[in-house]
Amino acid sequence: MILTVDIGNTRIKAAVFEGDILLEQFVFTKKELQKNIEIILKKYQKTTDLVVASVGDVEKESFLEFQKEILLHFISHADLFPFENTYETPLTLGIDRMVLAAGATLQFPGQNRLVIDVGTCVTYDFIDQNNRYLGGAISAGLRLRYEALHNFTSKLPLLHLETPKHFIGNSTTESIHSGVVNGLVYEIDGFIDEYKILYPNFIIILTGGDTDFLAKRLKNTIFANSNFLLESLNQTFQYKIKND
């Protein structure tokens, strides 16, 4: 069994896999990391490897106490990935984006793929049918958009995610909800439409914490999987083991 851990900007997600089968997943805060890892390993005592991908500020030392009972693996730029990285600044490419690109490459061979991760930030990552990672885009996610409107103005309130009642907001609150939610939906559909012009045949993978909320609002046909990063982390590790 393999325990995968994704350390994001806001929270930590983890999952236990047996082969390619996801047995159970977990979500917790950074303060709860060690306690929850202990609970998971106690429940799944046949776990042999702990695989970590991090873009957050959790240090490797937080995992060292587990190395007596399990093998630790921290995914890095030095690892073997199933695609050619043509990014102009490859060492600045986030590990989470590399893992998503690896998962898309392995799960959807011989296709053009666009992975859209809707979390704290929204990332777009494109891998062509020849397994070349070309790049993408980064923008603010839903929560960041709400916070920015409040933090960088003097009077706009801090709101939390809600479905806009109408396209035309008839109050400040409704105008914010319309701007934040519809703005991101139009952004995602707009990016997809641009890619369609250059690559008419490709698969779109939507993942991340806001997947379920946004998937039903997009006009384009997508493959929605909120667990895609955890699955990709497992597949990336399996690929590394087989090809080392």
Side-chain angles (χ1 to χ4, degrees):
M1 292 181 182
I2 296 172
L3 171 59
T4 61
V5 178
D6 165 34
I7 302 174
N9 292 299
T10 306
R11 57 184 181 171
I12 296 175
K13 298 167 88 174
V16 176
F17 289 88
E18 187 163 19
D20 291 330
I21 300 174
L22 195 160
L23 300 179
E24 189 174 0
Q25 62 176 341
F26 311 85
V27 180
F28 43 88
T29 66
K30 295 173 184 178
K31 290 182 180 180
E32 300 170 324
L33 171 64
Q34 291 178 316
K35 178 185 73 174
N36 279 276
I37 296 297
E38 289 176 3
I39 292 171
I40 295 168
L41 293 179
K42 189 172 183 179
K43 181 175 182 179
Y44 293 96
Q45 296 185 11
K46 293 183 179 180
T47 303
T48 57
D49 299 88
L50 193 162
V51 185
V52 182
S54 175
V55 296
D57 56 3
V58 175
E59 300 295 332
K60 289 184 178 180
E61 285 72 18
S62 301
F63 292 91
L64 294 183
E65 67 177 84
F66 303 111
Q67 64 183 352
K68 294 179 180 179
E69 53 186 306
I70 196 170
L71 296 174
L72 300 181
H73 310 270
F74 298 92
I75 302 298
S76 73
H77 293 89
D79 284 323
L80 183 66
F81 289 88
F83 57 84
E84 177 189 356
N85 190 349
T86 68
Y87 210 50
E88 188 172 314
T89 55
L91 294 181
T92 69
L93 182 60
I95 290 298
D96 56 336
R97 298 176 70 188
M98 295 186 71
V99 169
L100 288 170
T105 302
L106 294 170
Q107 285 196 41
F108 304 98
Q111 300 181 58
N112 294 308
R113 314 96 165 167
L114 176 63
V115 186
I116 306 172
D117 186 3
V118 285
T120 302
C121 293
V122 180
T123 58
Y124 302 81
D125 296 290
F126 190 80
I127 311 95
D128 71 13
Q129 62 186 1
N130 297 313
N131 295 340
R132 295 181 302 167
Y133 177 86
L134 302 185
I138 304 173
S139 69
L142 290 169
R143 184 176 65 86
L144 280 183
R145 294 179 190 224
Y146 279 114
E147 291 182 354
L149 288 173
H150 172 68
N151 293 334
F152 293 99
T153 63
S154 59
K155 295 185 178 180
L156 292 181
L158 176 60
L159 303 180
H160 300 286
L161 181 60
E162 286 185 17
T163 300
K165 294 179 181 177
H166 194 272
F167 169 75
I168 303 174
N170 65 354
S171 67
T172 298
T173 294
E174 283 304 312
S175 294
I176 292 173
H177 287 312
S178 178
V180 169
V181 174
N182 291 321
L184 182 53
V185 169
Y186 296 153
E187 174 193 302
I188 294 173
D189 275 327
F191 266 112
I192 292 172
D193 289 343
E194 288 294 319
Y195 276 100
K196 281 182 177 178
I197 295 173
L198 295 175
Y199 301 92
N201 180 27
F202 69 102
I203 186 168
I204 305 155
I205 304 148
L206 185 72
T207 191
D210 291 320
T211 297
D212 294 338
F213 182 82
L214 290 167
K216 57 188 176 184
R217 292 172 168 81
L218 298 173
K219 70 177 184 181
N220 285 280
T221 301
I222 59 170
F223 172 73
N225 181 357
S226 59
N227 295 321
F228 191 71
L229 196 149
L230 290 170
E231 293 175 5
S232 297
L233 187 51
N234 178 50
Q235 291 176 333
T236 300
F237 176 68
Q238 299 283 6
Y239 177 84
K240 173 184 175 181
I241 296 299
K242 291 176 182 177
N243 291 277
D244 270 352

